[in-house]
Amino acid sequence: QVQLVESGGGLVQAGGSLRLSCAASGRAFGNYDMGWFRQAPGKEREFVAAISKSGTRTYYADSVKGRFTISRDNTKNTVYLQMNSLKPDDTSVYYCAADLTLVTSTNPAAYDYWGQGTQVTVSS
């Protein structure tokens, strides 16, 4: 099992940057794919980014490609989401998740463990 705790959210002006962190507890962190998702009020949870177990492969939603970067440090049991050039449409609660499957997935249903979320608000 894995417990996940996000941090780093906050209020930022459009064009600014934030770095989210997700600290994992539990063994075998390196056996999990990790993902970032976001959910705004009245909307479904959507995929943002994912990273393979070793960190060698990354995946991004088209809406964030070129602006966001996902990374992980398995020695620290932590996954990060660097968010640059933020837009008001990026305003959401951001969640990290862990997935113990054979392939990296963009589907929220594939993920087994979720953090509590961290609020990101981007003002115009």
Side-chain angles (χ1 to χ4, degrees):
Q1 62 179 1
V2 176
Q3 292 78 47
L4 306 172
V5 180
E6 301 98 333
S7 62
L11 175 64
V12 65
Q13 288 187 321
S17 298
L18 285 173
R19 189 194 193 202
L20 306 184
S21 298
C22 177
S25 63
R27 64 184 181 183
F29 175 75
N31 288 343
Y32 290 84
D33 294 336
M34 299 295 298
W36 286 97
F37 297 80
R38 64 188 183 188
Q39 188 167 22
K43 298 183 178 179
E44 295 184 347
R45 188 164 298 188
E46 66 174 344
F47 168 76
V48 176
I51 189 166
S52 61
K53 298 172 179 64
S54 66
T56 58
R57 301 292 299 274
T58 58
Y59 309 85
Y60 297 95
D62 288 342
S63 60
V64 307
K65 193 172 297 182
R67 300 188 296 122
F68 291 10
T69 303
I70 188 171
S71 61
R72 69 190 295 164
D73 186 343
N74 287 355
T75 68
K76 298 180 179 179
N77 286 7
T78 303
V79 63
Y80 307 94
L81 185 68
Q82 178 67 45
M83 304 185 295
N84 298 326
S85 301
L86 283 162
K87 306 174 181 179
D89 285 349
D90 295 319
T91 296
S92 281
V93 177
Y94 284 72
Y95 301 88
C96 68
D99 174 20
L100 184 59
T101 58
L102 294 177
V103 298
T104 308
S105 180
T106 62
N107 184 358
Y111 286 77
D112 302 292
Y113 304 100
W114 294 83
Q116 83 287 353
T118 186
Q119 177 71 48
V120 172
T121 302
V122 184
S123 62
S124 60

